[in-house]
Amino acid sequence: MMFLRRAASAAALLVTVLPVTLASPAHADGSAPACRAPASVPLDAEQARLTDPRTTALVERAGFGDFVRRLPAALCTAHTPAEAERLLDSWGEALWQASVRRAQGQRPGGDLAPGDDRPLYWARLSMTSALARWQPAFAVDRAALRARFEDASRGLTDNSFRATPGVRRVFISGFDPFGLDAEIRRANPSGSAALQLNGRHVTLADGSRAEIRAVVLPVRYADFDAGIVERAFAPRLAAGPGAADVITTVSQGYPGIFTLEDWAGRARSADPYPDNVRALSGGTREHPVTAPGLGPGPEFIRTTLPADAVTAAVQAPYPVLLNSDVTEIPAGGTAPVDRTDGPTPGSRAVAGGGGGYLSNEVAYRSNRLRAELAPQLPGGHLHTPVLTGLPADSQLLTGPEFERNESAITAEVRSVLEHAAVRR
């Protein structure tokens, strides 16, 4: 396994970044009859968007096409469930490392801007589609294998802090693109920031040093129900030399501004807005629901990030504001009430500052876990501005304004972290 991981890491430095030791020349076309099911195998709603040729173009124009083309043949080399697990771990980690290196200008490939998060998203989906079509000669838990691949390709594995003495450790999460039925070209600046900042050493506002590690999470309720947030954050909150000193979840929020969310709420209430597989949460403003799998915790959790220091120091090119808005059902009441000054005692959460969708939930889940495992750590949630600037021509995948805005947002996320992570 260690050899396979080293091979995957080394391959990630090449133009065609693949765990080459796992691809079988005998089945280079992926056509072995015992390994492939018909192309008519049902795909989920997220994978079904791959029929749009622009999704393929985003993968190819980043130099990630060989990941998609060669995975079917690699799957045919697995002869046991354990081999399949190791293979998908290695391919997922290789895709993640290739995406990080590309985002940070360390890997050539394609004509898209390096920081573009969309190639990782669409390559991952294409590869999970290949996994869905794979028909091995032995029994497998396909859902478990996909979860392993998803975790590895999102930075949840083989992505530990270096634990350098005297260097602060900052752990962040971003998200996949979403709202793709309305505009399939959409990106997510929080995912872009995660890729561009993962593994970086930065100088904090007080002159000390910090290392940033990041993951990119799915926009799917089912994955949150299955504990992906807890899997991502628990290792960084457990005591030890590799634990984080600061955690911050990041997502795309409002036009033209950054917001530090003062409060995260326990409820889901965003319906009828769906997730990326068009699933609903079951919760509305009038009838919020508690997400499955949540451990015990209060209705609202307040940020412990140094909001005053951040908002006083970082205001360009976008304003950074503290958002104390919540929606609650007051104690003894039945109807939701919007407040601009946080929740009242005994109320039930309807929405935090990040609303009642997954951006609010990632803040609640991660900070509920922080309060349980490492209550002394600063933690909270940052909303980026909406990423704008896509060309009016729907066949153009990128443009100068889009790329400038993406770079500016990532630079300001870094600046926020450089002030938020200062030891206090």
Side-chain angles (χ1 to χ4, degrees):
M1 179 60 181
M2 185 59 66
F3 169 76
L4 294 178
R5 290 191 182 215
R6 285 200 299 267
S9 297
L13 292 170
L14 304 176
V15 172
T16 53
V17 183
L18 296 165
V20 291
T21 59
L22 299 176
S24 169
H27 304 299
D29 61 356
S31 60
C35 297
R36 292 288 298 277
S40 60
V41 167
L43 302 177
D44 64 34
E46 195 170 22
Q47 294 165 331
R49 297 189 185 97
L50 292 164
T51 57
D52 190 309
R54 291 172 293 181
T55 67
T56 301
L58 285 165
V59 174
E60 294 291 342
R61 289 176 60 181
F64 288 171
D66 277 350
F67 273 101
V68 177
R69 284 185 288 273
R70 292 178 62 181
L71 179 62
L75 287 168
C76 291
T77 69
H79 299 102
T80 67
E83 286 183 7
E85 291 176 353
R86 292 194 294 268
L87 186 148
L88 288 164
D89 288 346
S90 293
W91 277 74
E93 288 169 6
L95 178 61
W96 170 256
Q97 293 298 335
S99 300
V100 168
R101 290 188 170 102
R102 185 180 185 280
Q104 297 179 13
Q106 300 169 12
R107 174 186 182 272
D111 63 345
L112 293 176
D116 199 319
D117 66 307
R118 297 172 295 174
L120 169 60
Y121 174 74
W122 292 111
R124 183 194 300 113
L125 270 183
S126 297
M127 294 168 78
T128 62
S129 298
L131 176 60
R133 291 190 294 269
W134 177 47
Q135 202 68 11
F138 52 91
V140 295
D141 183 337
R142 203 176 300 271
L145 287 176
R146 177 171 177 176
R148 292 183 74 102
F149 175 76
E150 292 262 359
D151 280 7
S153 66
R154 294 179 176 281
L156 272 70
T157 63
D158 196 26
N159 191 23
S160 299
F161 289 106
R162 297 184 185 95
T164 307
V167 175
R168 299 274 282 168
R169 297 176 295 274
V170 181
F171 185 67
I172 69 171
S173 66
F175 271 112
D176 285 344
F178 64 100
L180 299 167
D181 286 331
E183 171 55 86
I184 204 164
R185 297 177 296 165
R186 281 182 177 154
N188 193 321
S190 69
S192 176
L195 291 172
Q196 293 185 65
L197 296 175
N198 184 65
R200 294 275 196 188
H201 277 233
V202 301
T203 300
L204 302 181
D206 64 355
S208 62
R209 298 286 289 168
E211 179 186 356
I212 300 171
R213 288 286 163 175
V215 295
V216 176
L217 298 173
V219 184
R220 297 188 298 245
Y221 287 115
D223 293 75
F224 275 51
D225 296 348
I228 193 169
V229 176
E230 289 78 6
R231 292 201 305 277
F233 280 86
R236 279 80 180 191
L237 293 170
D245 296 304
V246 180
I247 64 166
T248 306
T249 52
V250 187
S251 64
Q252 182 175 231
Y254 309 100
I257 60 170
F258 277 86
T259 54
L260 281 170
E261 302 304 337
D262 203 2
W263 298 92
R266 191 172 173 83
R268 291 176 176 174
S269 59
D271 293 357
Y273 192 82
D275 69 4
N276 273 354
V277 292
R278 303 194 185 105
L280 298 176
S281 71
T284 65
R285 176 181 166 88
E286 289 72 28
H287 300 286
V289 298
T290 300
L294 277 182
E299 287 294 303
F300 290 95
I301 297 176
R302 193 169 200 174
T303 186
T304 53
L305 293 175
D308 289 345
V310 171
T311 55
V314 185
Q315 288 294 322
Y318 301 96
V320 182
L321 309 175
L322 178 65
N323 178 26
S324 298
D325 292 355
V326 299
T327 303
E328 65 176 14
I329 298 176
T334 58
V337 175
D338 296 325
R339 299 185 60 87
T340 61
D341 55 352
T344 56
S347 66
R348 182 182 179 191
V350 175
Y357 194 50
L358 291 170
S359 57
N360 168 79
E361 188 169 327
V362 73
Y364 186 91
R365 283 183 178 269
S366 60
N367 283 282
R368 191 211 66 79
L369 195 64
R370 176 190 58 75
E372 177 184 316
L373 299 178
Q376 76 284 358
L377 262 61
H381 185 80
L382 176 68
H383 263 124
T384 75
V386 174
L387 177 55
T388 59
L390 281 170
D393 183 343
S394 63
Q395 296 306 306
L396 296 177
L397 300 180
T398 189
E401 182 184 358
F402 175 81
E403 294 173 8
R404 284 194 303 270
N405 291 343
E406 184 176 61
S407 295
I409 290 171
T410 290
E412 196 160 341
V413 169
R414 176 172 173 165
S415 184
V416 167
L417 296 176
E418 288 170 350
H419 286 81
V422 170
R423 190 185 302 275
R424 289 176 170 80

